[in-house]
Amino acid sequence: MTKQERAERTRHALIRSAAAVFEQYGYAQARLALIAAGAGVSTGALHFHFENKAAVAAAVEAEASHALRAASRGVYRRKTTALQALTDTSHALAHLLRRDTVTRAGFRLSGDATRSGEVDLRRQWQDCVQQLLTEAAGEGSLVSGVPRADMAATIVAATTGFEVLGRRNSEWLSRYSLTGFWQLLLPRLATPEALTRLDPAGVDSLAVPARSLPDHAPPRLANPALRF
Amino acid sequence: MTKQERAERTRHALIRSAAAVFEQYGYAQARLALIAAGAGVSTGALHFHFENKAAVAAAVEAEASHALRAASRGVYRRKTTALQALTDTSHALAHLLRRDTVTRAGFRLSGDATRSGEVDLRRQWQDCVQQLLTEAAGEGSLVSGVPRADMAATIVAATTGFEVLGRRNSEWLSRYSLTGFWQLLLPRLATPEALTRLDPAGVDSLAVPARSLPDHAPPRLANPALRF
């Protein structure tokens, strides 16, 4: 392993450790010594990579932004309809939020009103939703009579809610919850013809097949976080 | 003014000041000296009312919980249908979040994963949504074929999203946004017959008439936070 490879590996370990510390203590309370210790290096080694806590946080957000972009590109490459891509990207985002500390910490940092970073993950997700709805309109698959801005606002607000509520109870981010949401919403977005071709459970674009995910279940099951 | 009245007034001023400080700096960074100064009293006077920062935060959450309960009771007393009451209560909550620092700070404290208070405002709101949907089912005004838990999850997630996104941009909490959301969603909740009797803009139960609110506008206007 070259010196550069070792440095890259340490930088990556610091980002993952920082994400875990930010998640547990919040940005304001996170201590650099704890972040360094979590990556198995000294505080001096941390400072070789990052000037200060803000720089570590920015790196966490940048990596989360990269993960979201990669997931969204992965879905896009499969060339389904835009509404299916929107559904699939939301499932991919929920999957990242369940499984990846860096994505979770990145969204939490972006949502922290007491700081303002360069990367705004919520804005990035909002742009993604708006772009896919614009494409869906171009494909002629959106119902008429429902303003597109209201569709975007509802999708962005609900997915933001799933992310925030999922911090305390990960069932909010389960495939059940997302599927139930799309089953409810899609008939208000898609024309009857487009609707017949849509799968609210998402067409899997991840390396892991859906069936092997522990949270997979028949899509008709309602959100277990909100069982009556 | 009796001694007791003066004490009550000071306690109230401290809660309002704490809400503003928590909102600006977050719970972890909030300083008791700043909270006391904001209420025009000494730190010693603050300690006469509250043992520590956690106790001040608990008082903010308790007052926010009281405001939400009062708003929901105000709507309930008007004896409309349960779905109209749900729509109206969400408008009343958005109104509180726009106008009342204590409600805003209370929801933010309840959502702070690094602390755990006795009052959980999000849980309280979720219970309110579930109860009104149960009543709507009893009235026979819910469509069949959509699981009630998915209805509740979508409403709770979206309104949580409006609250969280509204911290940075209050347009998310405007009457436009909420009305657009209910226009989109209600046809997936209500039977066609029940739908004709529902007003997604909310039937105003507040002392202030809707027309005098600066953010009131014809309900067909789409969410300005998400204009394409």
Side-chain angles (χ1 to χ4, degrees):
Chain A
M1 192 159 57
T2 67
K3 199 169 165 181
Q4 201 186 339
E5 282 167 347
R6 263 204 311 278
E8 200 40 58
R9 191 173 284 197
T10 303
R11 190 176 183 279
H12 195 72
L14 282 164
I15 290 173
R16 298 211 77 76
S17 169
V21 173
F22 288 145
E23 201 175 10
Q24 190 173 354
Y25 299 97
Y27 176 74
Q29 299 281 78
R31 296 275 159 268
L32 287 181
L34 205 58
I35 293 171
V41 301
S42 68
T43 313
L46 183 150
H47 280 296
F48 174 78
H49 291 276
F50 301 106
E51 198 187 337
N52 50 31
K53 191 158 73 171
V56 189
V60 170
E61 285 181 300
E63 192 165 312
S65 165
H66 181 79
L68 173 56
R69 212 176 304 270
S72 128
R73 261 204 300 263
V75 167
Y76 205 79
R77 235 180 264 123
R78 294 188 305 100
K79 297 198 182 304
T80 58
T81 63
L83 281 179
Q84 188 64 60
L86 180 55
T87 307
D88 294 354
T89 311
S90 76
H91 277 288
L93 172 59
H95 177 91
L96 279 170
L97 288 166
R98 287 196 308 270
R99 303 301 173 89
D100 179 38
T101 322
V102 174
T103 303
R104 261 199 313 275
F107 266 88
R108 202 167 136 182
L109 286 164
S110 276
D112 186 338
T114 62
R115 58 179 291 283
S116 66
E118 268 178 46
V119 172
D120 185 340
L121 286 160
R122 288 188 178 155
R123 183 73 240 177
Q124 185 180 330
W125 170 237
Q126 189 172 316
D127 290 345
C128 174
V129 171
Q130 287 182 305
Q131 193 195 316
L132 287 168
L133 283 176
T134 302
E135 287 181 29
E139 292 170 359
S141 52
L142 294 187
V143 287
S144 58
V146 180
R148 217 191 308 159
D150 287 340
M151 294 179 180
T154 299
I155 296 164
V156 169
T159 45
T160 299
F162 285 125
E163 180 248 311
V164 168
L165 293 160
R167 291 179 197 166
R168 290 218 172 159
N169 179 354
S170 64
E171 282 185 359
W172 283 99
L173 290 167
S174 70
R175 191 169 279 237
Y176 307 165
S177 304
L178 265 278
T179 302
F181 167 69
W182 287 115
Q183 274 169 341
L184 192 151
L185 202 69
L186 284 171
R188 291 293 287 151
L189 310 181
T191 60
E193 202 245 316
L195 193 61
T196 59
R197 286 175 285 125
L198 286 171
D199 183 354
V203 178
D204 224 336
S205 68
L206 305 164
V208 193
R211 229 147 300 272
S212 81
L213 292 176
D215 56 356
H216 184 77
R220 298 288 332 164
L221 240 113
N223 183 356
L226 269 165
R227 210 162 267 152
F228 275 78
Chain B
M1 192 159 56
T2 67
K3 201 169 165 180
Q4 199 185 339
E5 282 167 348
R6 262 205 311 277
E8 200 39 59
R9 191 173 283 199
T10 302
R11 191 176 183 278
H12 195 71
L14 282 164
I15 290 174
R16 298 212 76 77
S17 169
V21 173
F22 289 145
E23 200 174 10
Q24 189 172 355
Y25 298 96
Y27 176 73
Q29 300 280 79
R31 296 273 159 272
L32 287 181
L34 205 57
I35 294 171
V41 301
S42 67
T43 313
L46 183 149
H47 281 294
F48 174 79
H49 291 276
F50 301 105
E51 196 187 339
N52 50 30
K53 193 159 70 171
V56 188
V60 170
E61 285 182 298
E63 191 164 314
S65 166
H66 180 79
L68 173 55
R69 212 176 305 270
S72 127
R73 260 203 301 264
V75 167
Y76 206 81
R77 231 178 271 123
R78 293 187 307 100
K79 298 200 183 300
T80 58
T81 63
L83 280 179
Q84 188 64 58
L86 179 55
T87 307
D88 295 354
T89 311
S90 76
H91 278 290
L93 172 58
H95 177 90
L96 279 170
L97 287 166
R98 287 195 308 270
R99 302 302 173 89
D100 179 37
T101 322
V102 174
T103 302
R104 263 199 312 274
F107 267 87
R108 203 166 134 183
L109 286 165
S110 277
D112 186 338
T114 61
R115 59 180 290 283
S116 66
E118 267 177 50
V119 173
D120 184 341
L121 286 161
R122 287 190 178 153
R123 182 75 242 176
Q124 186 180 330
W125 171 236
Q126 188 171 315
D127 291 344
C128 172
V129 171
Q130 288 183 303
Q131 192 195 316
L132 287 168
L133 283 176
T134 303
E135 286 181 30
E139 290 170 1
S141 52
L142 295 188
V143 287
S144 57
V146 179
R148 217 192 308 161
D150 287 340
M151 294 179 179
T154 299
I155 296 164
V156 169
T159 44
T160 300
F162 284 124
E163 180 248 310
V164 168
L165 293 160
R167 291 178 197 166
R168 289 218 172 157
N169 179 353
S170 64
E171 282 186 358
W172 284 99
L173 289 167
S174 69
R175 189 169 280 236
Y176 304 165
S177 303
L178 265 277
T179 302
F181 167 69
W182 286 115
Q183 273 170 340
L184 192 150
L185 202 69
L186 284 172
R188 291 292 288 151
L189 310 181
T191 61
E193 202 245 315
L195 193 62
T196 60
R197 283 174 288 125
L198 286 170
D199 183 355
V203 178
D204 225 336
S205 69
L206 305 163
V208 193
R211 230 149 299 274
S212 79
L213 293 176
D215 57 356
H216 183 78
R220 299 278 344 154
L221 241 112
N223 183 355
L226 268 166
R227 209 163 268 151
F228 275 78

